Amino acid sequence: MAVWTVHGEVAATLRTCEPIRVELCWGLGYNVTGMPNLVGHELQADADFTLQTFNPLIQYGCSAQLHFFLCSVYVPMCTEKVAAPIGPCRGLCESVRARCYPVLQGFGFPWPAALNCSKFPLLNNHEHMCMEGPGEVGVPPRTPLVPADIATPSVSRTLTPSRPGGNVASCSRFARASRYVYVNRTRRCNPLCEADILFERKDKEYAQAWLSVLAALCFVSSLLAVLTFVVDSGGGQARFSISGTPPLHFWHCVTI
C-alpha cells in the first residue's frame, strides 16, 4: 500500500498484514504477519510446508528459542506502520545457531542458507526493528541426534518423521496414535507400514491358525468325497452317473 504526500509524491510503501494461519506459529506474542516473508515465500502455505521440515529439530529441543526464531523468519511480525517485515535480531539467530548447528553438523547437515545470521539486524532500534527472543534460560545444550531421527531442514519433505510417535499430537484423535504418521501435503493421518491398526498381531496369528485348520479340514473332506466317487465308479455298477462328476470339479476348486 502506497502513502502519498500532499504534493503527490510517494512517501512510503507499507505492508498489508494478515492473520497468522500457520498453526505452528500461534501463541508466540503476535498474531499478524505479512508476505513475502524473509526467505521470499509469497504464501503462508509455502512457509508452513517448509516449517514442518524443522519439526524433528524443534521436538528434540536443541534450543528453547528455535521455535520462536523459525516463526520470526518464515512468519515474521507485521505492522502496517512499517514497510519491512519484523524478523529476528542477529543475536537471536546466533544463539540458536550455536546450539542447533552442532546437532546438524554432526550428521553432515549444513546450516540453511536462508537462516544466515548476517542478514538479520544487529540491534532492535528505530532504524531496523527486530525481535530479540525469549532467551535460553534453563535449557542446557543437547547431544546430537541419531541419524534416523532428524530431517534435513534445507530440503522440503512430504512426511514428518516416520518412526512411531513421530507426530502423535497431529493424530491424537486415533485410538493408536503412535501407529499413524501425519502427511503435511494432504493434512491427513496415514497408518505406518506394518502397523497393527484394527487388530493386534496375536489376533491376526490366531485367525491365521484357525483358517489354516479349517482349510485343511475342507481339503481332506473334499478329497474323501472324490476318492469315494472314484472307487464307486471303478467296478460293477457305478453309484454315480455322469451327472455325478461335479464333486470332482468342486474338489479341484477347493484345492486351488
Side-chain angles (χ1 to χ4, degrees):
M1 179 176 65
V3 177
W4 296 80
T5 65
V6 293
H7 301 290
E9 299 177 349
V10 177
T13 302
L14 304 182
R15 297 173 66 80
T16 300
C17 300
E18 57 190 72
I20 294 177
R21 294 188 293 272
V22 179
E23 186 175 355
L24 185 64
C25 298
W26 290 350
L28 292 181
Y30 61 97
N31 54 17
V32 291
T33 186
M35 294 288 146
N37 59 17
L38 297 179
V39 297
H41 291 145
E42 297 287 342
L43 301 175
Q44 288 196 50
D46 295 333
D48 188 14
F49 183 76
T50 302
L51 279 170
Q52 295 298 332
T53 65
F54 289 95
N55 261 334
L57 202 59
I58 294 174
Q59 292 172 4
Y60 182 71
C62 58
S63 168
Q65 300 187 109
L66 176 62
H67 185 186
F68 182 86
F69 167 67
L70 291 173
C71 286
S72 68
V73 174
Y74 290 94
V75 190
M77 181 188 294
C78 176
T79 172
E80 295 180 349
K81 297 180 180 180
V82 179
I86 303 175
C89 295
R90 188 177 304 177
L92 171 59
C93 177
E94 291 175 345
S95 175
V96 172
R97 187 180 187 277
R99 289 173 173 263
C100 296
Y101 180 45
V103 178
L104 299 176
Q105 191 178 36
F107 299 97
F109 297 147
W111 184 253
L115 304 180
N116 187 345
C117 296
S118 63
K119 71 179 185 178
F120 302 123
L122 185 61
L123 297 173
N124 179 31
N125 52 43
H126 65 281
E127 295 181 355
H128 302 286
M129 296 183 66
C130 63
M131 295 182 283
E132 298 176 347
E136 296 284 0
V137 178
V139 180
R142 302 294 297 273
T143 54
L145 298 168
V146 294
D149 285 343
I150 190 165
T152 308
S154 58
V155 180
S156 295
R157 297 199 178 181
T158 303
L159 300 179
T160 53
S162 58
R163 57 188 176 90
N167 198 352
V168 176
S170 299
C171 303
S172 58
R173 65 181 181 278
F174 293 96
R176 299 180 175 93
S178 62
R179 302 178 188 181
Y180 289 83
V181 62
Y182 184 74
V183 183
N184 295 320
R185 187 177 296 276
T186 61
R187 299 182 181 278
R188 298 177 62 182
C189 292
N190 291 339
L192 293 167
C193 297
E194 304 298 332
D196 299 314
I197 302 299
L198 297 178
F199 302 97
E200 297 293 342
R201 184 170 300 277
K202 63 179 182 180
D203 296 329
K204 295 180 180 179
E205 293 174 352
Y206 182 77
Q208 185 177 7
W210 268 107
L211 286 174
S212 299
V213 171
L214 293 175
L217 291 175
C218 184
F219 175 80
V220 171
S221 61
S222 300
L223 181 60
L224 290 176
V226 171
L227 290 176
T228 302
F229 173 77
V230 172
V231 170
D232 288 342
S233 302
Q237 184 177 1
R239 181 180 301 179
F240 301 103
S241 63
I242 191 64
S243 62
T245 56
L248 182 61
H249 300 296
F250 175 76
W251 174 81
H252 183 259
C253 293
V254 170
T255 304
I256 294 176

